[in-house]
Amino acid sequence: MKIRLAPQRDILLLPDPLISQIAAGEVVERPASVVKELLENALDAGATEITLRLLDGGKTLIEIADNGCGIHAAQLPLAVTRHATSKIRSLDELEHVESMGFRGEALASIASVSQMRLTSKTDADAHASSIDNRAGAWQTTATAGAVGTRIEVADVYFNTPARRKFLKTDGTEFAHCSEVFTRIALANPHCTFKLFHQNKVSAHYPATDWKNRISDVLANSLPEHCIWVNETSGEFNLTGMIFPADAARARADTQYAYVNQRYVRDKVVSHAIRASYADVLHHQRHPAYVLFLDVPASSVDVNVHPAKTEVRFRDSSAVHQLISHSLKKALAQTASGRVVSQNSEQNPPTASSVSARIDLTADKVLDVPQPHIPQSAHTAPVAFPSQKQHTLPLAQNVRSYLDLLRAEPQPERFAPPAESVTNHDSSEHPLGFALAQIHGVYILAQNAQGAVLVDMHAAHERIVYERLKVALDTQSLAKQDLLIPLAFSASTLELATLSEPEVPEVLSQIGLNLSTLGIHEIAIRSVPALIKQADAITLARAVLADIAQLGASHVLTEKRNELLGTLACHGAVRANRQLTLPEMNQLLRDMEATERANQCNHGRPTWIQLSMKQLDGLFMRGQ
C-alpha cells in the first residue's frame, strides 16, 4: 500500500462556490435527494396538494408544485442563501424541532449544481414572484402564479461533469425518485400527491386516512391478511401495519419506519422489529412493515446525519421495548384469528378449551367425542365413524378402508343426527376437522372456506415451544423422573460442558437432570414432563451442544429461545407417526388456541388454506 504525505500548505478560507459544492455533495447525492428535500419543504409549508414532475428520471427536470403558504417576494433571495431558514431561531428550538427541514442548506446546495427557478406567492402578495440562476446570477422577476410554491430544477450536475457521470440510467434514477415519493406519501395521508414521469401519470394518492393510504400505496404487495398495530406507552405511540410472517418478503424492499413522520433507517428500530420476528420468520426472509413512531420532539435528535435518515433517541431502551413488545403481541395471534381475518363475514371465533386432552407423543389415545365437519357452500355435511366403534390410524393402508366400506351398512354409525350438524357453529373451529393423513407428514382438514393442509411436525413444534416458554417464565416447568436412568457414552466436550459449575442449575431449570457416570458416560435421570416421550439421549446431546456453543450464562437469557426451540423440536411429533382422527383434531384445536401457530419457531409455515375458489380453479369448474 502506497502512503501519500500531504504537502505543507497555508491555511486559507474556502471560497463560497467551493463551500456550496461541498455542501451539495452531502445534500444532493442524486436526483432523488433533490426530490426528498423539495417534498419536505412543501410539507413544512403546509401544503395539502403536491405535484411532482420528472423528465429522464429527474436528470433533465425535477418540478415540484404545492399549495402551501408560499414565500414573500422580498425573501426569495434569502431563501436560496446558505443557512437561511424560517424553521428555527435558537438552540432551544433546534432541540424541539418538529419540521422536516431546518438546516437551510437545501435550496442553496441544489442551486449550486443545477439551473433552478423558484416561483412563489403568498395570500398577501398581489402576484407571484420568481427567482432563478440560469444566467449565472440570481434574478428576481414578477410573474403569474397561484398561492404556493413551484420549484424547477433542471440539468442536475450540469456544471460538475465528474459527478454527473456517476448517475445511473433514467429508469434507475426514476426508481429512486419514486421510492422517495412513496416514503413521503405514506407518512402524510392528509396530503394529495401526484407523480408524473415523461408527462405521464405514474402515481396519484388522494388525501385520506393513514390506513387507506397504506392500502393505496402498497396495493400491489399488500397481503390478504395484514396486522394493524396501535400501541401507546407513556408519551410514545406506535401505529402502522406489519405483514404476517408467512407473507414476509424475499428482499428488504417493503420496510418503512418513521419517527415523527420522518423516514429513518435507525439501528434501534430495525433491531426491535427484527427481534419481534425472531421465532416466526424464516432466516432467508425479511419482515415487511409500515410503522409510525410518535415521540416528543425533545426525546429524539434528528440532527445527526446530513440527510436526516438517522436519529438518536434519548431513551433508546424504551423505544426498543415499545416496538418489540407491540409487534410480538400483534404477531402472537392464534390460528383462529388468521382464518377469520380471511373471511370478514364470520364473527371472530373463541377458541374454547378442550377438557379431554390427547398426548400426541404418547401411544395411548384418549376417548374424545368426534366432532362433525360443518356444512360449507360447496359440500354436504361429512360425518365420521364413531371413534368408539372404529379406531382408524390414518396411515393405515388402503385395504383397511376398503374393508370398512365393505362392512354392513350401519346408518346410525356413520350419519349423525341432522340437528347436530345444522346447529354446529362453523366459526367455532376455524381450522376445521381432519379428513386424512398424507404420507405420515401432512394433515388434510376441511373448514368452511375449503381445505386446510397442516404440517403436523411444524405445528406441534410451535405448540410445544409456546408451552415451554410459558412454563419456563412461570417457573412451572415440571420434571419427569426416569424409573431407570438412561446412560450414554459421552464425548470429551459433552463431559467438559456438564462439569462446568453453572450447567447443572441451567439443566434443572429446563427439567433435565444429568450426571456423570464413570469417566466416559452420562446418566439421564429426569426429562421435561412436556416432552417426556422424546428421545432422551438425543435431547440431552442437543442441549449440551447448545450450552457448549452459546454459553451457560446466556442460554437462559438472550439465548433462551434457541434452547427452548431445541427442546420443542425434539418433543414434537415426528413424520410418519400414525395419528388417529381424534389426535389430528386435537392438534387442530391446540393450534387454534396457540399464539404464533401460523409458523414453527424456525419460521416455516405450519398450515395453508386452500379456498373453494382456488380448488375450483385447479379443476376449471365454472370455466
Side-chain angles (χ1 to χ4, degrees), residues 45 178-179 201 236 304 309 337 350 352 377 404 450 525 600 604 611 616:
S178 178
E179 178 63 17
V201 177
F236 296 172
V304 296
T309 56
T350 301
S352 58
L404 174 64
R525 303 186 183 278
C600 73
R604 296 190 298 109
S611 66
D616 290 344

Side-chain angles (χ1 to χ4, degrees), residues 184-295:
I184 294 179
L186 276 171
N188 297 274
H190 66 281
C191 184
T192 297
F193 289 86
K194 296 179 182 179
L195 171 61
F196 293 83
H197 186 227
Q198 306 298 85
N199 296 318
K200 296 180 180 179
V201 177
S202 179
H204 179 202
Y205 305 126
T208 182
D209 56 38
W210 64 273
K211 285 189 176 182
N212 287 325
R213 176 56 57 86
I214 292 176
S215 299
D216 291 343
V217 174
L218 303 182
N220 295 329
S221 58
L222 205 64
E224 293 183 4
H225 52 284
C226 52
I227 304 173
W228 300 100
V229 180
N230 190 355
E231 295 288 337
T232 301
S233 176
E235 296 181 301
F236 296 172
N237 179 255
L238 180 70
T239 56
M241 178 274 303
I242 59 176
F243 283 22
D246 58 358
R249 311 277 291 181
R251 298 185 301 162
D253 58 351
T254 310
Q255 298 181 344
Y256 301 96
Y258 299 86
V259 176
N260 294 346
Q261 292 185 289
R262 186 189 307 276
Y263 174 82
V264 298
R265 289 190 291 264
D266 181 74
K267 294 180 180 178
V268 174
V269 174
S270 299
H271 184 273
I273 296 173
R274 191 76 191 184
S276 304
Y277 281 85
D279 58 359
V280 294
L281 189 68
H282 194 271
H283 62 89
Q284 294 180 346
R285 309 290 288 180
H286 299 273
Y289 52 83
V290 180
L291 293 173
F292 307 99
L293 177 64
D294 294 322
V295 302

Side-chain angles (χ1 to χ4, degrees), residues 312-615:
R312 182 182 293 118
F313 295 103
R314 178 170 296 178
D315 189 354
S316 57
S317 61
V319 172
H320 190 283
Q321 184 176 3
L322 170 63
I323 296 174
S324 60
H325 173 76
S326 302
L327 299 195
K328 285 180 180 179
K329 177 181 175 182
L331 290 168
Q333 61 178 344
T334 64
S336 304
R338 175 181 162 183
V339 174
V340 172
S341 68
Q342 295 177 349
N343 185 7
S344 58
E345 295 179 357
Q346 293 185 4
N347 295 323
T350 301
S352 58
S353 60
V354 181
S355 57
R357 312 298 294 178
I358 293 182
D359 186 359
L360 290 176
T361 61
D363 294 329
K364 181 181 179 182
V365 180
L366 302 182
D367 184 18
V368 178
Q370 178 63 36
H372 306 299
I373 294 183
Q375 184 175 3
S376 68
H378 286 67
T379 60
V382 179
F384 291 110
S386 171
Q387 185 63 31
K388 295 181 180 180
Q389 298 172 348
H390 290 276
T391 301
L392 292 177
L394 266 292
Q396 285 186 1
N397 55 34
V398 177
R399 179 176 298 178
S400 299
Y401 292 96
L402 294 177
D403 292 342
L404 174 64
L405 294 176
R406 295 191 191 101
E408 182 180 354
Q410 299 183 24
E412 70 281 2
R413 180 181 299 176
F414 291 89
E419 182 180 359
S420 65
V421 175
T422 56
N423 292 342
H424 185 79
D425 183 5
S426 62
S427 67
E428 185 179 354
H429 300 301
L431 290 184
F433 302 99
L435 296 174
Q437 190 177 11
I438 304 174
H439 290 288
V441 178
Y442 302 103
I443 294 173
L444 174 63
Q446 173 183 311
N447 64 357
Q449 288 77 46
V452 174
L453 276 177
V454 179
D455 183 334
M456 67 181 194
H457 172 74
H460 194 224
E461 185 177 8
R462 168 58 72 177
I463 294 169
V464 175
Y465 178 62
E466 293 296 330
R467 289 177 180 173
L468 286 170
K469 287 199 298 184
V470 172
L472 188 62
D473 290 341
T474 58
Q475 298 182 353
S476 61
L477 189 56
K479 298 180 181 179
Q480 174 66 55
D481 294 329
L482 301 183
L483 184 61
I484 301 176
L486 290 176
F488 64 94
S489 298
S491 65
T492 303
L493 178 60
E494 290 170 339
L495 289 168
T497 302
L498 183 59
S499 65
E500 294 181 4
E502 63 272 21
V503 170
E505 176 61 25
V506 171
L507 294 175
S508 177
Q509 291 187 46
I510 62 173
L512 267 177
N513 184 359
L514 307 181
S515 62
T516 57
L517 188 67
I519 59 174
H520 297 297
E521 288 186 323
I522 291 178
I524 306 172
R525 303 186 183 278
S526 69
V527 295
L530 282 173
I531 54 174
K532 59 182 180 293
Q533 296 299 326
D535 185 337
I537 295 177
T538 305
L539 175 64
R541 289 186 183 277
V543 171
L544 289 175
D546 281 351
I547 294 176
Q549 179 182 2
L550 305 174
S553 60
H554 303 289
V555 76
L556 286 181
T557 53
E558 62 263 30
K559 301 299 182 181
R560 183 196 73 153
N561 287 350
E562 285 88 337
L563 178 61
L564 296 183
T566 299
L567 296 177
C569 186
H570 285 274
V573 61
R574 296 292 179 176
N576 298 320
R577 163 70 193 279
Q578 298 180 5
L579 301 182
T580 62
L581 283 175
E583 287 180 315
M584 289 186 279
N585 282 308
Q586 184 62 57
L587 180 61
L588 297 177
R589 302 293 79 79
D590 288 342
M591 291 173 62
E592 291 170 350
T594 300
E595 294 181 346
R596 308 174 186 88
N598 299 333
Q599 288 82 30
C600 73
N601 48 300
H602 304 297
R604 296 190 298 109
T606 58
W607 65 279
I608 61 171
Q609 172 78 60
L610 293 174
S611 66
M612 290 304 301
K613 182 177 180 181
Q614 291 173 307
L615 293 173

